[in-house]
Amino acid sequence: MSLSGWITIAAFFLCVIAMTRPLGGYLQRVLEGQAHFLGRIFGPLERGLYRVAGIRWEEEQSWMQYATGVVLFSAVSFVVVYALLRFQVLLPLNPAGLGPVAPDLAYNTSISFVTNTNWQSYGGETTMSHLSQMLALAVQNFASAAVGIAVAAAVIRGFARRGAATIGNVWTDLVRVTLYVLLPISVVVAVFFVWQGVPQTLHGSVEVTTLEGARQTIALGPVATQEAIKMLGTNGGGFFNTNSAHPFENPTALSNFVQVLCIFALGAALTNLFGRMVGREREGWAIFSAMALLFLIGVGVTYWAEAHANPAIAALGVDPTLGNMEGKETRFGIAASALFATVTTDASCGAVNAMHESFLPLGGMVPLVNMMLGEVIFGGVGSGLYGFLLFAVIAVFMAGLMVGRTPEYLGKKIEAREVKMTMLAVLCLPLAMLGFTAIGVVTGPGLSALSAGGPHGFTEALYAYSSAAANNGSAFGGLTANPFWNLTLGIGMVVGRFFVIIPVLAIAGAMAAKKVAPATSGTFPTDNGLFIALVGGVIVIVGGLTFLPALALGPIVEHLAMLRGTLF
């Protein structure tokens, strides 16, 4: 560990804090239809889109109507993406002459991008045409991110409103988030990436002569535009196979710093939006503080673990003071790689600038645990906030049980219906993660895809299914997906997306209809340090009790074996 490494982490965290309130205020103005500077520019376009699509933007919807809209929008998106991938050989903007994407891979990729997972069982530059990259994948980067933010806004309205039957209009929210938030910020970020050296062209490739005199073909394409929304929308799917470790996706230390800032930007801002919309900003900062505490612990452990050398490599005479540089880019180093790995799995991004499989066992366990906890540490755009609120409901329910009072959150009683919906949403993730892992490590097609045996191979499988169900999309690195994995990972992505969204919208609908009870001396405050500690403890304890046995079979055993020098 070095002072410069800690300064990098501290500078990143301070920038996140500085962005949170301005972005939160802007999100509020956009989602509540208030005046803002882009409204004067794009307002006619917004109203035109409503007229063309037949959207009655002023009519609000119940939670069931809102959820139906989300599911239908995602289903149509899946069909469109699948068709584009299967027929890309017949479509234009295919300079490499790439053939149709295989049915199982097209199915997996379509679900992956529609659910904001962006798991990639393929190398982008050798599988997808430019049209597929832009019209199928990049469009879904915007659409899936907009869905997440729209659902979060609907959930916030549920907590903020009193005696209401509606939680917003899904089509209005999708249009406003895309038009006023995702598109303009992505344009600015894309221009910045081009300045840093990221390609943006419709040419397919360029041939160069290497220093050895050999000829090499270097893939090119519309990278910068996809890279911007890939990070801002916490999508994570890269244009190139090696993702943000590729110098054409992430060429400099500055571009790397901006990329991790983009991952956390909207997730952090949504905590402030929550506080503003419920009428008490302190509530939003309490959520931010709980998330920040868990983030700082995670990045500290990852940096500490990776700053130590791999004993097996050190035994070969490699300088141990360099730390564990295996699988990392020298232009980033250990601190920036540890920060990126922690941020991308705190959020549902999945982009990587280093190979997580090459991390030491404890360093690799932190990204895995982040996903197992449901990625509620700032999390994906929208999904991080509403996932965190599920744990907040559990925390106040436990607090109510301890003092013998009906649990309340923001003055609204938490009753049986809300608790049942919360447990349904929380328990579906470990069911998918652990259930599919158990199947994958005992069947022939599952085992054939793993590059290692023993604890490391088990961790490869556990990481993949955790990444799918958490809608993260990053891979441990050694798994070669086959039709079995494409099928089961796709099911895990659907479970992790919609088996959470539907219950959480049901909770929003129930909360919107409730009246607010006046605070009394016995009301549990949810904007102070006690609540921050309680909800943070609930997240860790629930995750620990659920996943500790699986972690014990994978990274923990591998770490103990490494200490004994018996497993490499």
Side-chain angles (χ1 to χ4, degrees):
M1 292 184 289
S2 66
L3 178 61
S4 62
W6 288 115
I7 290 175
T8 298
I9 294 170
F12 164 78
F13 185 60
L14 291 174
C15 287
V16 171
I17 294 174
M19 292 190 303
T20 296
R21 197 167 189 275
L23 272 176
Y26 179 67
L27 284 171
Q28 182 188 25
R29 290 190 289 276
V30 168
L31 288 164
E32 293 191 342
Q34 300 174 5
H36 55 86
F37 72 101
L38 286 180
R40 293 188 291 272
I41 302 173
F42 296 120
L45 177 58
E46 178 191 357
R47 293 186 289 274
L49 289 172
Y50 293 149
R51 285 194 296 271
V52 170
I55 297 172
R56 298 176 180 177
W57 64 271
E58 72 283 358
E59 291 186 7
E60 294 211 343
Q61 301 166 324
S62 68
W63 79 265
M64 292 189 68
Q65 292 172 317
Y66 204 102
T68 300
V70 168
V71 173
L72 288 177
F73 179 74
S74 300
V76 171
S77 297
F78 167 80
V79 173
V80 171
V81 174
Y82 183 85
L84 286 169
L85 299 185
R86 292 290 291 139
F87 293 105
Q88 74 171 7
V89 67
L90 305 176
L91 299 173
L93 295 178
N94 187 4
L98 298 172
V101 179
D104 63 293
L105 181 56
Y107 151 84
N108 179 277
T109 304
S110 301
I111 290 179
S112 180
F113 278 76
V114 168
T115 59
N116 199 247
T117 306
N118 291 42
W119 171 276
Q120 295 176 285
S121 295
Y122 62 89
E125 65 269 47
T126 58
T127 307
M128 300 295 172
S129 69
H130 288 355
L131 186 70
S132 295
Q133 294 273 19
M134 294 186 294
L135 189 57
L137 307 187
V139 166
Q140 284 309 306
N141 284 348
F142 284 96
S144 63
V147 166
I149 297 174
V151 171
V155 171
I156 296 172
R157 294 187 191 109
F159 283 95
R161 292 180 176 180
R162 307 177 182 186
T166 60
I167 55 173
N169 184 306
V170 64
W171 311 115
T172 303
D173 289 341
L174 288 175
V175 169
R176 287 175 174 171
V177 167
T178 304
L179 190 60
Y180 296 122
V181 180
L182 298 177
L183 273 171
I185 299 177
S186 293
V187 168
V188 174
V189 174
V191 171
F192 169 81
F193 284 153
V194 170
W195 172 56
Q196 288 293 290
V198 178
Q200 182 64 26
T201 177
L202 294 180
H203 291 296
S205 61
V206 61
E207 285 196 0
V208 299
T209 302
T210 67
L211 294 176
E212 294 82 6
R215 299 292 292 173
Q216 181 179 357
T217 301
I218 298 177
L220 298 173
V223 184
T225 47
Q226 183 162 327
E227 194 70 17
I229 186 58
K230 155 195 159 184
M231 312 309 292
L232 182 67
T234 63
N235 298 281
F239 189 95
F240 297 101
N241 190 31
T242 54
N243 209 281
S244 286
H246 197 292
F248 282 178
E249 285 200 28
N250 192 8
T252 68
L254 181 57
S255 69
N256 187 75
F257 191 81
V258 171
Q259 286 194 11
V260 287
L261 278 179
C262 286
I263 295 174
F264 264 11
L266 294 178
L270 283 166
T271 64
N272 186 260
L273 174 67
F274 179 85
R276 289 172 181 268
M277 290 182 67
V278 301
R280 295 201 296 269
E281 267 195 76
R282 284 175 57 91
E283 298 285 350
W285 285 114
I287 294 174
F288 180 96
S289 299
M291 293 177 172
L293 177 62
L294 295 173
F295 159 70
L296 292 172
I297 293 172
V299 73
V301 171
T302 305
Y303 185 28
W304 170 82
E306 294 306 299
H308 291 77
N310 186 323
I313 295 179
L316 300 176
V318 177
D319 185 0
T321 61
L322 297 175
N324 179 36
M325 281 297 296
E326 180 190 351
K328 298 179 179 64
E329 294 293 304
T330 54
R331 69 184 183 278
F332 302 140
I334 288 175
S337 300
L339 175 63
F340 202 114
T342 306
V343 169
T344 197
T345 50
D346 281 337
S348 67
C349 186
V352 295
N353 74 345
M355 299 301 105
H356 293 181
E357 186 163 30
S358 295
F359 280 30
L360 295 178
L362 292 185
M365 187 173 72
V366 171
L368 179 56
V369 169
N370 287 340
M371 295 186 297
M372 287 176 164
L373 296 179
E375 295 180 325
V376 296
I377 308 172
F378 296 106
V381 285
S383 62
L385 179 66
Y386 61 70
F388 183 93
L389 291 174
L390 293 172
F391 285 101
V393 169
I394 296 174
V396 297
F397 177 73
M398 292 176 59
L401 290 178
M402 287 188 286
V403 299
R405 284 176 54 93
T406 301
E408 296 177 2
Y409 188 48
L410 302 177
K412 296 184 176 184
K413 295 186 182 299
I414 304 297
E415 298 174 300
R417 172 185 170 85
E418 293 80 62
V419 175
K420 289 176 182 177
M421 290 294 102
T422 297
M423 296 313 299
L424 175 61
V426 169
L427 292 177
C428 73
L429 294 182
L431 177 64
M433 293 174 184
L434 301 179
F436 281 121
T437 299
I439 297 172
V441 297
V442 297
T443 58
L447 290 170
S448 66
L450 304 178
S451 66
H456 197 77
F458 178 81
T459 305
E460 286 181 2
L462 180 63
Y463 192 104
Y465 285 119
S466 298
S467 178
N471 297 147
N472 181 270
S474 65
F476 212 49
L479 186 146
T480 303
N482 55 31
F484 167 84
W485 282 89
N486 285 335
L487 173 63
T488 53
L489 287 169
I491 297 172
M493 295 172 205
V494 171
V495 171
R497 182 72 161 180
F498 299 106
F499 282 46
V500 176
I501 283 179
I502 294 174
V504 83
L505 286 174
I507 294 170
M511 297 298 286
K514 294 178 184 288
K515 303 292 185 180
V516 174
T520 67
S521 58
T523 300
F524 179 66
T526 54
D527 60 357
N528 60 11
L530 180 60
F531 173 75
I532 294 169
L534 178 61
V535 72
V538 166
I539 292 170
V540 173
I541 291 171
V542 170
L545 292 176
T546 306
F547 294 107
L548 184 59
L551 294 172
L553 291 174
I556 294 176
V557 167
E558 193 172 3
H559 176 71
L560 295 175
M562 184 191 73
L563 294 179
R564 295 177 58 190
T566 59
L567 180 65
F568 290 100

